[in-house]
């Protein structure tokens, strides 16, 4: 029973039309599922991924009319997206600048080349070289050349005031390994935890920032981080493990496209364990993912009312 990497990262947007344009046109990702938040059907849930909607490549957004995030700790503070090589980073430095997206330039940190930037809503992102490690299939219709396309999720950076409680959950509950430490641009210690075969697609970076006020979620924030569970049998085992360890959690939740378990680590950051299957082709042809509003069967009977409450993209 082993987590194999990041499954998806879900963030918050207050401007779905802008969000759709930026992630598909500027970043060249594929909209693989246009659906709604199953717990709040007034909000879109948009999934952007690689060409085949591979697990581990999804950056997703809830569309909520909320103010900007108040930044702080007890939060996920940056999501890295993987590209193949330094030539891709050079391409992206130019593409982002030409698109009016500010960035800090290519830098080397933790032994890897990366390009930090933000979207217009303040979502903190970064491109990082993965050398071809991790999932990622090009999308034929992307405006970005195949060799430079975003391949999937890279490390997620968490900010906490105290490492120890989070480290216990990552290692003793979730089975990750602490493998190294490096310094952030502010000189803060960042501890790297890896799962599965390791590499950029299977890492959590934890920045220790005591004395920083807790974040307040809003537009530009990360809502939760999900980790890959390979099989339904392992999913059942994880549900039993959380129960046996008396970790408060959601219990089993069937999201139709995957099955989920939710819990908060001790610093309050929401984690999800999500299965690789059934996947986004469960209700749409793989060649036409994201082209229309998709609803899981338990919401299909409310389609007319749900569609009436959504803004056009």
């Amino acid at each position: 029973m082993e987590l194999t990497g990041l499954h998806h990262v879900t963030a918050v947007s207050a401007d779905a039309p802008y969000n759709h344009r930026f992630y598909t046109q500027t970043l060249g990702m594929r909209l693989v599922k246009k659906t709604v938040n199953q717990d709040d059907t007034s909000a879109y849930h948009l999934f952007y991924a690689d060409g085949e909607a591979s697990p581990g490549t999804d950056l997703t957004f809830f569309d909520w009319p909320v103010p900007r995030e108040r930044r702080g700790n007890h939060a996920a503070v940056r999501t890295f997206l993987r590209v193949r090589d330094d030539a891709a980073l050079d391409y992206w430095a130019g593409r982002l600048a030409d698109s009016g997206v500010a960035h800090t330039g290519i830098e080397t940190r933790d032994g890897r080349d990366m390009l930090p930037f933000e979207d217009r809503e303040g979502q903190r992102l970064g491109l990082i070289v993965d050398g071809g490690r991790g999932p990622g299939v090009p999308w034929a219709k992307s405006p970005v050349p195949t060799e430079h396309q975003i391949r999937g999720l890279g490390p997620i950076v968490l900010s906490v005031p105290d490492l120890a409680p989070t480290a216990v959950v990552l290692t003793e509950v979730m089975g990750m390994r602490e493998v190294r430490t490096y310094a952030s641009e502010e000189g803060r210690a960042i501890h790297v935890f890896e799962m599965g075969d390791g590499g950029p697609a299977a890492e959590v970076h934890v920045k220790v920032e005591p004395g920083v006020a807790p974040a307040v979620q809003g537009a530009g924030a990360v809502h939760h981080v999900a980790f890959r569970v390979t099989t339904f049998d392992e999913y059942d085992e994880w549900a039993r493990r959380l129960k046996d360890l008396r970790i408060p959690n959601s219990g089993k939740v069937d999201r139709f496209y995957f099955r989920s378990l939710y819990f908060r680590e001790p610093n309050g950051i929401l984690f999800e364990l999500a299965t690789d299957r059934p996947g986004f082709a469960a209700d749409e042809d793989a060649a036409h993912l994201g082209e229309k509003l998709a609803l899981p069967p338990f919401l299909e009977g409310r389609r007319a009312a749900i569609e009436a409450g959504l803004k056009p993209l």
Side-chain angles (χ1 to χ4, degrees), residues 2-5 133 174-177 194-199 202-203:
E2 183 179 48
L3 301 174
T4 58
R133 291 186 69 184
M174 301 175 71
M176 298 187 198
R177 309 172 294 275
E194 69 176 15
M195 63 202 107
D197 293 333
E203 291 179 354

Side-chain angles (χ1 to χ4, degrees), residues 13 50 74 86 131 133 142 170 180 191 216 256:
S13 171
D50 72 349
H74 298 270
D86 287 326
R133 291 186 69 184
S142 175
L170 294 178
R180 62 185 182 275
H191 299 255
V216 176
F256 185 65

Side-chain angles (χ1 to χ4, degrees), residues 66-149:
V66 292
R68 282 285 188 96
E69 173 195 29
R70 188 182 76 192
R71 292 181 175 179
N73 62 19
H74 298 270
V77 297
R78 191 174 296 276
T79 302
F80 281 97
L81 304 168
R82 294 176 289 108
V83 296
R84 183 171 295 277
D85 52 29
D86 287 326
L89 281 189
D90 290 337
Y91 168 85
W92 278 102
R95 181 177 179 85
L96 292 176
D98 291 345
S99 301
V101 180
H103 60 77
T104 58
I106 297 170
E107 60 186 65
T108 302
R109 196 169 298 279
D110 188 31
R112 295 178 180 146
D113 292 335
M114 58 185 66
L115 178 63
F117 67 101
E118 298 180 11
D119 74 8
R120 191 176 74 190
E121 295 190 284
Q123 187 65 230
R124 285 170 283 183
L125 303 164
L127 299 169
I128 191 167
V129 172
D130 71 358
R133 291 186 69 184
V137 177
W139 178 35
K141 296 180 181 180
S142 175
V144 176
T146 297
E147 65 273 20
H148 299 325
Q149 286 182 25

